[in-house]
Amino acid sequence: MNGGPVAGGGRAVVRSRSAVAALVAAAALGLATGRFVLPPPPGATAHPAARSGAAAGGASQGASAPATPGGSVPTPSASGSASPIGATGATGPVTTANLLEPAAFSPDIGIGRIHVTDRYGDGAYANAACSGEKTLTQTLGGPGAHFRGLMTGPRTAPGDPTLAAGQGDQVAREVAADARSPSLAQNFAERLLLEEVPCQEAVPGHWVYGRTTTVRLAPDVTASWMGTYQGSLNTTGTAPEGKEPCGGIAVLRSGNHYAVLEVDACLGTAAMDRVVRTALSQL
């Protein structure tokens, strides 16, 4: 990339530079190809129970997220950038070091305002209305996972310390675990995402998820996320065109690690994309 001309000139220098350019182009093309393709969603369309619009933090402005046409299967949009050469997915067990830190929400929410609580085990994950009140084990049949709650208040729910006592205090909640292989982790991630897809359609006036956006940092390091739109913006049964989300949900996979991240803070498209990428690189 940098460096001066090589003495000795002539065709040898041209050939060397051409070969290097060809290799770089081939590597970039290989990293950029391919999209995360979802299996078709279940046939039944679910209409989730009501959810409060209260969220912590202010809205962050960014590019608008177009809505998925009503009745169609959501198609992920390619928004990932090429990964650095040598980047690979995670291996080994998930630890708390793989979970999202408060710094990911700066500058939208001050780092000093966010309290972190962790636990290990089983429990309800993501949005209960979309997952049918299921626990992670009920959906995947696997062992326990790491749960992390990020909140702006110190008071937590009696039955789960990763949930804020007041819904408006919840910034985000992440659930992460490891599978026996990268292919199984991919299968788990796809199944977890399909649990949320029905919430891309809801009766007008009800909150709804927007279209699915895919982030790809490497072939086996990917995330799919959907923004949350308040019921006042849902006039057609799907997410509105040209409007900003207010938080959202993401399903992530890195090698044999997989996770669900629900963002309750009212973040717009640009901030959501930043947080999801940070969580994915940490996983």
Side-chain angles (χ1 to χ4, degrees), residues 242-257:
K243 299 292 185 180
E244 282 293 295
C246 183
I249 191 168
V251 177
L252 311 94
R253 182 182 75 93
S254 176
N256 70 319
H257 293 182

Side-chain angles (χ1 to χ4, degrees), residues 63-66 229 233 240-245 269:
S64 61
Y229 292 82
L233 297 176
E241 191 77 39
K243 299 292 185 180
E244 282 293 295
T269 303

Side-chain angles (χ1 to χ4, degrees), residues 59-130:
S60 174
Q61 298 301 314
S64 61
T68 302
S72 64
V73 177
T75 303
S77 62
S79 62
S81 58
S83 63
I85 294 176
T88 57
T91 58
V94 169
T95 69
T96 55
N98 299 117
L99 303 179
L100 195 63
E101 298 286 349
F105 295 91
S106 178
D108 300 278
I109 304 173
I111 299 175
R113 293 182 57 204
I114 300 178
H115 301 265
V116 175
T117 57
D118 292 323
R119 72 174 179 85
Y120 182 85
D122 192 21
Y125 62 93
N127 184 269
C130 290

Side-chain angles (χ1 to χ4, degrees), residues 51-55 205-208 228-234 240 246 266:
R51 166 176 163 172
S52 170
H206 202 287
W207 73 269
V208 67
T228 300
Y229 292 82
Q230 302 303 323
S232 60
L233 297 176
N234 174 16
C246 183
C266 196

